[in-house]
Amino acid sequence: MLKPDVVFFGEGVPRARVDGAFAALEAADAMLVVGSSLMMYSGYRFCERAIALGKPIAAINRGRTRADPLFALKVERPCAEVLGALAGRLDQIGIGAR
């Protein structure tokens, strides 16, 4: 049986991947959560770490999340709509993807 290189809902995240994500978070200015309820600890722990590091967290998600009290900003709109608008705005000011 073949399995893609993804972590399915309810599975554990490989330690090396978690360590890499924590390192990226430490280097970041802020954290953005997109389309997740964060009900599983595997995702929520990154919010806990961001707060411990003093990093603000923004979220794009419709509905309640486990981390709602931790967010500096929450946009309750469809992810594709918000990300598309954000990408368009970044292009307008010259910060678009290269």
Side-chain angles (χ1 to χ4, degrees):
M1 179 191 285
L2 296 176
K3 180 183 182 285
D5 188 21
V6 298
V7 177
F8 289 110
F9 186 81
E11 288 183 333
V13 180
R15 185 81 241 161
R17 196 169 301 168
V18 171
D19 292 343
F22 279 147
L25 180 57
E26 289 183 26
D29 295 325
M31 180 174 156
L32 175 62
V33 175
V34 179
S36 175
S37 68
L38 299 168
M39 292 303 174
M40 299 297 293
Y41 187 71
S42 59
Y44 180 74
R45 66 180 151 189
F46 296 105
C47 293
E48 289 182 323
R49 178 67 62 95
I51 293 300
L53 293 169
K55 314 270 181 165
I57 307 169
I60 305 168
N61 191 71
R62 293 173 71 180
R64 189 177 77 80
T65 81
R66 182 178 184 179
D68 280 354
L70 306 179
F71 298 150
L73 171 70
K74 183 176 180 188
V75 179
E76 291 207 44
R77 305 283 305 162
C79 299
E81 173 187 307
V82 175
L83 292 174
L86 179 59
R89 180 67 181 122
L90 292 175
D91 282 341
Q92 288 176 350
I93 61 174
I95 307 177
R98 302 198 187 325

